[in-house]
Amino acid sequence: MRLKPDIPRPHRHLSTIRDIIGRASLAPAVTDRAVGTFTALAEAEAAVHGIGIEEVHFHEVGATDAIVDIVGSAIGLDWLDVAHICAAPVELGSGMVRCAHGLMPVPAPATARLLTGVPCTYGRVDGEATTPTGAAILKHSVTEFAPPIGFVPKRIGYGLGQKDFAVPNVLRATLGTSSTALEQESNTLVECNIDDMSAEAFAPLVDTLFAAGARDVYLTPIVMKKSRPGTKVSVLVDDACLDAVTGSMFRASTTIGVRQHRVEKRMLPREERRIATSLGEVRVKVATLPDGSSRWKSEHDDIAALAASRGEEYLSLKARIDREIAETLAR
């Protein structure tokens, strides 16, 4: 609930809010989540205003109702004892919103900053659909912004907003279980189409991209305009290495432009183990399936190195080693 425009709203610093929450005799996990949420909000406001985090004056979000919202959400999540929180893409709304600094476009600057890297939708409602307070709660608490896999709903609750929009102003929360939580990774997919480069140049290009920090590189034969044969170069990369990988694509290939977009990768939980065999130690990747069973794969480079050092044929040596690994994992 927002305070009426003619009622003064208190301005508080992050240190004041920390003190208020710290004196509330809350469970440690609740305090940590609430303070963490306000800290994320302060970092966004500081970045927007170009000041230090402790210099931020909270306006609407510093009022009592916002503290109650953030602390209340922390208490609720602690009481529910959830291990994994999924959320749909966040609707931001459209138009303008009036706040302490005047009229601002939707989303408000702090909301936009907080939801960097989060999938969002726009324009489904006329007005502000996500406030900085709500954005901070989502950013700090949600594990992944994607539908859960293998989810079994148990209980469902609804929260109704006061504003009337073209779509229902309703928050639905569903509590349930999942046999195996899939891991998630967010990357950028960078691609280009090449039809004027020697085939021999693609191998060093792939090596260069991996050296620049690419997580994966793959080549796809394609037919381009005027029926010219070409190759699509696809590279998965995280944000930290995006500039380095993009620069390497321009320097090490003949492309003059690349396409890029965010992709979400879901993965089975997995671990790498080192297993001793009669022929030497081999790394093994073990993945856990949603039903609790597992599958594994021996590391090619380790087996190839053993085959070369022993002067044996790769396939027969791999078969022997895999039998020993299977016996070890079955114990």
Side-chain angles (χ1 to χ4, degrees):
M1 180 183 295
R2 287 186 178 274
L3 297 175
K4 294 180 180 179
D6 58 346
I7 297 178
R9 294 167 175 146
H11 292 189
R12 297 188 175 107
H13 289 92
L14 179 60
S15 58
T16 305
I17 293 174
R18 285 199 199 103
D19 183 61
I20 292 172
I21 296 173
R23 290 187 285 107
S25 301
L26 301 168
V30 173
T31 299
D32 289 346
R33 187 185 294 273
V35 171
T37 301
F38 262 110
T39 300
L41 190 53
E43 290 171 347
E45 293 283 2
V48 168
H49 291 88
I51 59 177
I53 185 173
E54 295 296 342
E55 299 176 70
V56 172
H57 281 276
F58 289 103
H59 301 292
E60 290 91 344
V61 294
T64 302
D65 58 339
I67 296 176
V68 170
D69 286 344
I70 289 177
V71 174
S73 68
I75 292 172
L77 291 172
D78 181 70
W79 182 77
L80 291 171
D81 193 26
V82 292
H84 196 84
I85 304 174
C86 298
V90 183
E91 170 59 35
L92 300 184
S94 62
M96 308 292 286
V97 61
R98 186 170 296 280
C99 53
H101 295 292
L103 202 59
M104 295 284 181
V106 172
T111 301
R113 183 85 184 190
L114 280 161
L115 296 180
T116 299
V118 173
C120 299
T121 59
Y122 301 80
R124 295 179 61 220
V125 301
D126 183 16
E128 185 185 33
T130 302
T131 65
T133 306
I137 293 171
L138 290 171
K139 187 64 176 283
H140 189 70
S141 297
V142 172
T143 309
E144 60 175 318
F145 290 88
I149 299 296
F151 182 72
V152 181
K154 299 294 185 182
R155 302 185 68 180
I156 301 173
Y158 294 88
L160 305 180
Q162 291 186 327
K163 288 185 177 180
D164 289 328
F165 292 129
V167 298
N169 186 9
V170 177
L171 172 67
R172 177 167 60 189
T174 305
L175 186 66
T177 59
S178 180
S179 56
T180 300
L182 297 182
E183 297 177 359
Q184 182 165 341
E185 183 176 276
S186 180
N187 294 134
T188 296
L189 177 63
V190 183
E191 294 183 323
C192 65
N193 298 340
I194 299 176
D195 65 358
D196 59 350
M197 192 169 84
S198 169
E200 290 89 347
F202 282 99
L205 170 61
V206 171
D207 292 340
T208 298
L209 294 172
F210 276 122
R215 288 186 173 272
D216 196 11
V217 182
Y218 53 96
L219 309 176
T220 307
I222 58 175
V223 178
M224 298 175 62
K225 61 184 179 182
K226 299 180 182 179
S227 297
R228 293 197 302 263
T231 301
K232 179 168 70 173
V233 182
S234 303
V235 186
L236 281 175
V237 58
D238 59 28
D239 292 339
C241 299
L242 180 57
D243 289 342
V245 166
T246 303
S248 294
M249 291 184 77
F250 287 125
R251 289 190 299 270
S253 77
T254 59
T255 190
I256 59 174
V258 299
R259 304 176 300 276
Q260 63 182 58
H261 60 271
R262 300 292 292 177
V263 294
E264 299 294 328
K265 180 180 179 182
R266 292 195 167 194
M267 305 164 287
L268 293 172
R270 61 205 183 283
E271 63 173 338
E272 182 178 275
R273 298 175 57 181
R274 293 181 177 272
I275 294 182
T277 74
S278 61
L279 302 178
E281 187 178 75
V282 175
R283 288 171 294 170
V284 178
K285 291 180 181 177
V286 182
T288 303
L289 298 170
D291 62 3
S293 62
S294 63
R295 64 173 179 234
W296 56 270
K297 183 178 184 298
S298 53
E299 178 59 49
H300 162 79
D301 289 347
D302 291 354
I303 293 179
L306 287 173
S309 67
R310 300 173 63 88
E312 296 188 28
E313 192 271 327
Y314 172 87
L315 287 177
S316 61
L317 184 138
K318 174 177 169 56
R320 289 163 57 193
I321 288 178
D322 282 352
R323 282 195 296 270
E324 293 188 29
I325 291 173
E327 292 173 358
T328 299
L329 294 175
R331 294 172 189 163

